[in-house]
Amino acid sequence: IALKFYKHKTDELLAEQVRYYEPEIILMTFAKGLNESSLRLIRQQAPNAVLVGLDGDPWPKLQKGRVALAQNLDILFVTNDGQWLKDYRDEGIKKCYFMPNACDPDIERRHHVSEQWKSNILWVGGLSHSADPSFKLRKEVIEILAKRSDSKLYGCYNKKTIGGIDCIYAMSGTKIGVSINAYQGIRLCHSDRLIRLLSCGAFVISNRFPDCELLYKDGKHLRYFDSTEEFNELVKWYLDHETERKKIADAGMNWAHEQFNCTKIAGYMLDVIESGTYHALWS
């Protein structure tokens, strides 16, 4: 209702908050309704502030107004270093940088949970994405999980969605957390599902993506797979070998908390704002 009938008033309230707080840096995550007119009012109230965008979604060109808004920012961070980052650069956005998904170890950690949250295998998310129907692996794996009595699914096959602390409890309570992108072949690109599962202490099995081992090492922090056959083999082996599974789960959680916590990722962002570059393990 606010966007349809009171868009200008909503922008004025936003600009008023900016004026009150006098920020030097403004970070925005492409909220619905935010557009060039919003940014004009923000810049009027904070002409010296650095406007920074953070885009964690795939297919930016399919997001209405996303590229046009990004063109009015000073710096843009995206969670891939492949085609979708290139899409922005092709539109003249030069200060565009890869930045991986972050976790918050204060909340996203392994919790002691009741039986209702425990499972052998967990999937959270939809069955597929209409933007890339050619990628079949995700649907094939979820179909396998749907037939297993020891798995829990949320967000597909008429199962309820889950979020917030309930999602964290479900990830804490599973032995194996499954992460599969809805797309393939995008360098360093993965859903935030992956970092959340790792951070919550699950043993993670993820589909392989280009240069994935620059972020997380196979056999050390998680296990990668490329086919349903390999997925089934990994599930069977690690459910039968609890010591090895727990060792990798602990290492993955500690690695996520150490290397991808919000403070560290914010530090990389500040480095870019101050110097135009940053240095990390993946760069």
Side-chain angles (χ1 to χ4, degrees), residues 23 31 46 57-58 85 102 107 122 131 144 148 246 249:
D57 289 327
L85 181 145
I107 302 171
L122 175 71
I144 292 172
R148 294 184 62 113
K246 286 185 174 180

Side-chain angles (χ1 to χ4, degrees), residues 236-250:
K236 184 179 187 308
W237 197 90
Y238 281 100
L239 285 179
D240 290 340
H241 295 80
E242 186 172 1
T243 300
E244 290 84 353
R245 178 181 56 79
K246 286 185 174 180
K247 180 180 178 181
I248 293 177
D250 288 345

Side-chain angles (χ1 to χ4, degrees), residues 11-271:
D11 283 347
E12 288 180 342
L13 290 170
L14 176 61
E16 187 176 37
Q17 291 297 302
V18 171
R19 176 164 57 85
Y20 286 155
Y21 285 96
E22 300 180 353
E24 295 177 345
I25 301 169
I26 300 174
L27 177 67
M28 54 194 67
T29 56
F30 298 94
K32 185 178 180 181
L34 199 67
N35 59 15
E36 298 96 308
S37 62
S38 311
L39 295 191
R40 281 196 295 270
L41 288 176
I42 290 173
R43 287 199 185 274
Q44 288 173 9
Q45 299 300 330
N48 297 319
V50 180
L51 270 56
V52 181
L54 177 60
D55 185 5
D57 289 327
W59 299 289
K61 289 184 175 181
L62 299 183
Q63 311 290 335
K64 185 178 179 180
R66 181 69 55 93
V67 174
L69 182 59
Q71 289 172 327
N72 289 273
L73 300 173
D74 298 309
I75 294 172
L76 178 64
F77 294 108
V78 297
T79 54
N80 78 94
D81 192 32
Q83 180 59 51
W84 298 325
L85 181 145
K86 184 178 181 297
D87 286 347
Y88 279 119
R89 289 180 175 166
D90 288 346
E91 295 295 331
I93 303 169
K94 301 304 181 184
K95 293 185 177 181
C96 188
Y97 305 83
F98 165 70
M99 191 63 64
N101 289 298
C103 65
D104 183 357
D106 288 339
I107 302 171
E108 294 171 317
R109 54 181 171 80
R110 186 182 291 134
H111 295 255
H112 295 289
V113 297
S114 60
E115 287 297 320
Q116 76 174 102
W117 299 114
K118 293 182 179 180
S119 64
N120 274 357
I121 316 174
L122 175 71
W123 167 257
V124 179
L127 190 62
S128 60
H129 198 293
S130 58
D132 188 6
S134 65
F135 187 54
K136 306 293 187 183
L137 182 60
R138 175 159 154 169
K139 184 176 180 181
E140 290 171 353
V141 169
I142 297 173
E143 286 175 345
I144 292 172
L145 297 180
K147 297 175 183 177
R148 294 184 62 113
S149 60
D150 60 346
S151 67
K152 283 190 177 181
L153 280 66
Y154 295 93
C156 59
Y157 286 110
N158 296 319
K159 305 292 185 180
K160 67 179 181 179
T161 59
I162 192 172
I165 196 67
D166 285 350
C167 188
I168 289 172
Y169 287 163
M171 291 179 173
S172 295
T174 193
K175 292 182 179 179
I176 298 176
V178 180
S179 178
I180 317 174
N181 292 334
Y183 40 81
Q184 58 183 334
I186 305 296
R187 183 176 188 267
L188 294 176
C189 190
H190 60 280
S191 165
D192 61 353
R193 179 188 303 105
L194 176 53
I195 183 66
R196 296 188 72 193
L197 284 165
L198 287 168
S199 187
C200 289
F203 168 77
V204 177
I205 299 180
S206 168
N207 74 299
R208 194 180 301 275
F209 51 91
D211 286 334
C212 56
E213 296 218 29
L214 292 177
L215 301 175
Y216 313 106
K217 299 292 187 185
D218 189 22
K220 184 175 182 180
H221 306 128
L222 78 179
R223 291 305 313 268
Y224 292 115
F225 69 94
D226 294 297
S227 66
T228 54
E229 294 77 15
E230 189 177 5
F231 174 80
N232 284 328
E233 291 172 3
L234 288 171
V235 167
K236 184 179 187 308
W237 197 90
Y238 281 100
L239 285 179
D240 290 340
H241 295 80
E242 186 172 1
T243 300
E244 290 84 353
R245 178 181 56 79
K246 286 185 174 180
K247 180 180 178 181
I248 293 177
D250 288 345
M253 180 177 66
N254 292 335
W255 181 252
H257 289 177
E258 174 189 317
Q259 297 295 331
F260 299 92
N261 64 76
C262 293
T263 303
K264 196 152 193 171
I265 298 300
Y268 293 142
M269 291 181 173
L270 290 173
D271 287 345

